[in-house]
Amino acid sequence: MEAVIGLMHTEHGMNLDFDKVNDVLSQGDRMWVGIGESYAENAAEEAMRAAVSMLFDEAGTSVQGLLGSLSGPCKMDIAQLSKVASIPCSIWKDAQYAWGMKMDDDGRDGAVRVVLIAVGSAS
């Protein structure tokens, strides 16, 4: 939850609105979390795929709402971020989806981190 809460108050990135977070989280009675991290050349995509895989293993197709948090170095561009954000949308097409990002090079190790919080109903 810290990853998403941090995105509601970040200065360097795209903030999540509290009302949007509330709307997404109210879409179900179960919650799952997927986490991904990568240092590779295509780190954002690898981290997102790892988080999505973790979620899919647990939730399957039951996801109705999805919050995404992406954080990493400032070198990521909009095209890359857009491509990465579309990965979970291609799996859970009917889910309400909101995401935020935080670009931060200060004291970071160069990793890209993705946290996905999904809500839905029991299968």
Side-chain angles (χ1 to χ4, degrees):
M1 245 359 218
E2 181 180 330
V4 173
I5 291 170
L7 288 173
M8 289 192 285
H9 303 336
T10 186
E11 293 179 21
H12 305 289
M14 190 169 75
N15 292 339
L16 285 173
D17 176 76
F18 177 79
D19 290 334
K20 183 66 172 177
V21 170
N22 191 45
D23 286 347
V24 171
L25 291 180
S26 68
Q27 297 299 309
D29 55 12
R30 299 254 172 136
M31 184 179 288
W32 303 274
V33 176
I35 300 169
E37 179 177 283
S38 179
Y39 297 85
E41 184 175 326
N42 59 339
E45 185 173 346
E46 279 192 14
M48 181 64 83
R49 289 192 184 283
V52 165
S53 177
M54 185 183 288
L55 268 183
F56 193 79
D57 288 348
E58 294 296 320
T61 59
S62 299
V63 173
Q64 297 165 323
L66 188 63
L67 292 176
S69 164
L70 187 143
S71 63
C74 294
K75 65 184 177 183
M76 294 186 289
D77 63 36
I78 278 295
Q80 180 184 25
L81 293 172
S82 181
K83 179 181 176 184
V84 167
S86 72
I87 293 170
C89 293
S90 67
I91 296 170
W92 297 291
K93 294 179 172 98
D94 296 328
Q96 188 173 351
Y97 185 53
W99 67 284
M101 63 183 183
K102 180 179 180 185
M103 304 304 198
D104 185 11
D105 283 330
D106 296 335
R108 296 300 297 247
D109 53 12
V112 173
R113 293 175 180 88
V114 172
V115 177
L116 296 176
I117 299 173
V119 293
S121 300
S123 299

